[in-house]
Amino acid sequence: MEKKDIDWGNLGFGYVSTDYRYVSNYKAGAWDGGQLTQDANIVLNECAGVLQYAQTVFEGLKAYTTEDGHIVTFRPDLNAERMEKSAARLEMPVFPCDRFVKAVSEVVAANAAYVPPYGSGATLYVRPYMFGSNPVIGVKPADEYQFRIFCTPVGPYFKGGAKPLTIRVSDFDRAAPHGTGHIKAGLNYAMSLHAIVTAHEEGYDENMYLDPSTRTKVEETGGANFLFVTKDGKVVTPKSDSILPSITRRSLVHVAKEYLGLAVEEREVFLDEVKDFAECGLCGTAAVISPVGKIVDHGREICLPSGMEEMGPVTRKLYDTLTGIQMGRIQAPEGWIHVIL
Ligand code: PLP
Ligand code: COI
């Protein structure tokens, strides 16, 4: 299969239209059989539930070309499960897990020419999503839904690739206690836009959100979970009911324990103790592990000892092992790699 003529090494994290996307519609209480389409546009009624009351959830995963030339995805079953939970929380019908995984495979296979080659530094980002599509004017769930998956080849999420980031402690909250922080709903991202735009204007790469009730504990950023490393090499990651259960973070916890023999603590992390950590990283599908060099808390600078030039040594080992598993250089745990082609 001939690859598309794309400058893979210089891709940013942006939208590039590919040839095929998957679509399935939910009507009268049932999903239709679903199909691939070449039409990237959606025609919706002006009063569609998604447009009025933001009834939409999504997922994000990647397809990779492995060292031996296969096209694979990483733990797509976990994205399917998380989307089930997101949909249930917003009173949307569940798109069955087995159909989700099959649809991801179909759309990636159909766009194989857009899967970046091994070693290019780029990957194919896969975006499943679902939204209420019929007219809704009283506040209630829609009766009809559309589930879609599109793909787009991407490079690093943060400009500068692996250069350590500078982030700030945000004065805005991301998720209320007992709210929707633990699901992947568009509404969580809409409300983060003002915070990220002002962070960028002030020269920061991202926001660190704190727990809204006490504002003393680290939650996550707008698009990734935190991972810290203590000075004695322990991995610490915040535990909270209002952060997204990152598949990357859960995988890194396993990698840290089982591949690298590191101690891992999943617990509440107080902002006050961040100054004592040796390394900090943001982990997620888009972010992979992006190192953080500096955290600014209202003018107080917390400079991680790992510095502003490169990833700290433990973050580097975690990064190399995870990407090694994803690209087929390192034996994956059973069930983690889903071979498509
Ligand atoms: N937290 C938020 C708010 C996210 O949007 C994401 C991205 O999906 C993550 C964390 C990381 O999750 P995952 O590793 O499953 O991509
Ligand atoms: C992902 O990592 O897949 C996400 O959805 C994060 C998003 C902010 C791009």
Side-chain angles (χ1 to χ4, degrees), residues 13 58 60 125 127 157 184 189 223 284-286:
F13 197 88
F58 69 102
Y125 186 70
R127 171 55 62 89
Y157 188 65
K184 210 159 165 62
Y189 299 81
T285 298

Side-chain angles (χ1 to χ4, degrees), residues 88-131:
R89 177 65 175 77
L90 294 196
E91 290 295 334
M92 302 167 85
V94 161
F95 193 76
C97 281
D98 56 330
R99 284 199 57 193
F100 179 106
V101 172
K102 193 160 164 279
V104 166
S105 298
E106 270 178 42
V107 79
V108 170
N111 291 301
Y114 291 91
V115 183
Y118 175 76
S120 64
T123 52
L124 188 74
Y125 186 70
V126 182
R127 171 55 62 89
Y129 60 113
M130 193 202 291
F131 52 88

Side-chain angles (χ1 to χ4, degrees), residues 58-60 79 82 174 184 189 220-225 244-249 283-286:
F58 69 102
E59 272 304 323
N79 295 96
R82 191 169 63 190
R174 177 182 175 273
K184 210 159 165 62
Y189 299 81
E220 61 175 329
T221 67
N225 284 179
L244 193 76
S246 159
I247 294 162
T248 313
R249 187 246 305 157
C283 54
T285 298

